[in-house]
Amino acid sequence: MKIRCKGTKKFHLNINIEDYYKSIKKMGLDISLPLRIEIPCQRCKMIEFYDIYPDHYEHVKSYKQKKN
């Protein structure tokens, strides 16, 4: 699954979540909880939160990075 920035459509990362969920099911577990990730976008300077599900992802929120 490829994850892109919500605003600029810049490629963030490629995550193999399908195999992760398959491995969990092989252990006899059925988890419907999403994997939550936080990604800084270098182009728009925002920190973006995503919920990753086995077949799709959802943008949860974004906020501006604080300068040091």
Side-chain angles (χ1 to χ4, degrees):
M1 175 181 306
K2 293 181 181 176
I3 299 179
R4 298 185 175 272
C5 175
K6 179 81 169 169
T8 64
K9 306 295 185 219
K10 181 182 183 300
F11 175 77
H12 282 309
L13 60 102
N14 191 12
I15 187 167
N16 191 352
I17 196 71
E18 296 87 4
D19 287 344
Y20 174 73
Y21 276 101
K22 284 179 189 175
S23 296
I24 289 176
K25 285 196 180 225
K26 284 182 183 177
M27 289 189 275
L29 302 172
D30 187 19
I31 299 175
S32 59
L33 217 72
L35 179 65
R36 178 153 295 178
I37 60 172
E38 176 181 341
I39 303 171
C41 181
Q42 295 174 350
R43 188 173 289 171
C44 69
K45 307 296 186 218
M46 301 283 278
I47 306 252
E48 299 181 333
F49 288 85
Y50 293 94
D51 281 347
I52 311 296
Y53 295 93
D55 54 354
H56 71 285
Y57 67 91
E58 294 178 3
H59 178 260
V60 178
K61 67 179 179 176
S62 298
Y63 66 90
K64 197 74 168 169
Q65 293 183 13
K66 295 179 180 146
K67 295 183 180 179
N68 293 333

